[in-house]
Amino acid sequence: MPELAASVSSVRKGHHDIAIGNILGSNIFNLATVLPLPALIAPGIIDANVTNRDYPWVIALTIALALAIYVFKKSKNGSIPRWVGLPLLGSYCVYLFIISSGSSI
């Protein structure tokens, strides 16, 4: 939530680069430092749902965001239109529904 608040605040002030840098930086930090700590403290077995359900979602949404950045960086004003966020938000809602229902794809 702090990343979301900082990103929304920077976008409202017109600093779009700070928002993207904040999102990417926090994700890289979380993947590089926070995520490995539990595995170092108490290694465990990774559930098959994680590899079969979660990894494809994360990879697909990362590729979608990277494509949006690549495609729209050469647009007239160099920013990603708001309508691009709707499918990303929708896919997040579908992902949350799938997780909450306990089913796997």
Side-chain angles (χ1 to χ4, degrees):
M1 289 311 268
E3 288 86 5
L4 179 63
S7 296
V8 169
S9 172
S10 63
V11 167
R12 294 186 85 200
K13 293 178 183 176
H15 303 290
H16 304 286
D17 295 341
I18 293 174
I20 291 174
N22 183 32
I23 293 167
L24 293 177
S26 66
N27 286 330
I28 290 170
F29 178 78
N30 287 335
L31 289 173
T33 59
V34 175
L35 193 59
L37 284 178
L40 292 173
I41 295 169
I45 298 171
I46 297 176
D47 188 16
N49 283 338
V50 172
T51 57
N52 295 334
R53 178 192 62 207
D54 297 348
Y55 284 164
W57 278 95
V58 170
I59 290 170
L61 289 175
T62 302
I63 291 170
L65 181 60
L67 283 173
I69 291 171
Y70 179 76
V71 168
F72 290 107
K73 76 176 181 180
K74 300 206 182 213
S75 66
K76 186 168 80 172
N77 59 1
S79 65
I80 300 173
R82 289 184 184 197
W83 63 266
V84 174
L86 291 176
L88 294 174
L89 183 63
S91 63
Y92 178 67
C93 292
V94 169
Y95 175 71
L96 287 179
F97 176 75
I98 289 171
I99 287 178
S100 67
S101 68
S103 64
S104 62
I105 296 176

